[in-house]
Amino acid sequence: MHHGRVDAVATLKGLHSPAEYQDLAHDPETGDEVLRALADSPYSFVWTALAANPNTPRDVLARLCGQRSGIWNDNQLLLLIALHPHADRAVLLEVLDQLRAKLAKRESRPYAAVLAMADRVEIDPAEIWDLGRTPGASARMRRGLRRRIADRSARGS
């Protein structure tokens, strides 16, 4: 048996179609080294599958934060990372930075990801509320933030 990286390379060399990459990225049985190798895929749908896979390790999520492929795909990717069970404070702070930059440029409306971040106890409510002050924040997003932050306070988290 080979060590992790050799197995990952051999596994990826055996794939013949983009759909096979996506299936492997989505499969909860895929090993960490293969998931790490898949993060280098040129396919945005593979990145999304990785972010949706509950077993994707934290370091892969951190790498995915910087991937870009278009406004809708980028927002979806950030949302999935914000919801991911292995996203720790460091990963979530990277997501927060990405969201802040998107809102400041008014290049997109990543409101679902912003609201998902408001539910994460790893992030202080003040850090989330700061997103509501950016130029790209809508009144509706701010209302959603207020509601989610109030719900967190009521739950004591």
Side-chain angles (χ1 to χ4, degrees):
M1 175 171 254
H2 300 285
H3 287 59
R5 190 67 182 159
V6 175
D7 285 344
V9 170
T11 298
L12 295 183
K13 281 186 178 183
L15 301 178
H16 302 291
S17 74
E20 289 178 293
Y21 284 86
Q22 183 178 26
D23 291 345
L24 195 57
H26 235 306
D27 186 348
E29 299 299 317
T30 301
D32 288 356
E33 287 305 315
V34 174
L35 294 172
R36 286 182 180 98
L38 285 167
D40 294 327
S41 169
Y43 306 117
S44 63
F45 54 85
V46 171
W47 307 333
T48 302
L50 286 168
N53 184 332
N55 294 325
T56 296
R58 185 210 64 78
D59 63 300
V60 175
L61 297 172
R63 286 175 51 202
L64 292 174
C65 285
Q67 298 286 28
R68 295 289 168 265
S69 70
I71 291 171
W72 191 91
N73 290 335
D74 297 351
N75 290 346
Q76 180 67 13
L77 184 61
L78 290 172
L79 170 62
L80 290 169
I81 296 168
L83 295 169
H84 201 281
H86 290 157
D88 63 3
R89 179 166 170 79
V91 169
L92 294 172
L93 286 174
E94 179 60 30
V95 172
L96 197 64
D97 287 345
Q98 297 291 329
L99 293 171
R100 186 177 295 107
K102 286 177 157 297
L103 289 167
K105 291 179 188 175
R106 298 181 188 196
E107 69 180 39
S108 68
R109 295 179 180 94
Y111 302 151
V114 169
L115 295 176
M117 290 290 289
D119 291 333
R120 295 301 300 244
V121 297
E122 299 90 343
I123 302 295
D124 186 85
E127 293 171 301
I128 299 295
W129 183 244
D130 184 53
L131 294 178
R133 295 185 185 102
T134 58
S138 70
R140 185 175 182 183
M141 187 191 91
R142 285 190 292 274
R143 281 192 305 273
L145 279 175
R146 270 194 293 279
R147 190 169 37 255
R148 289 190 183 214
I149 290 170
D151 288 348
R152 268 181 67 175
S153 295
R155 290 190 311 262
S157 49

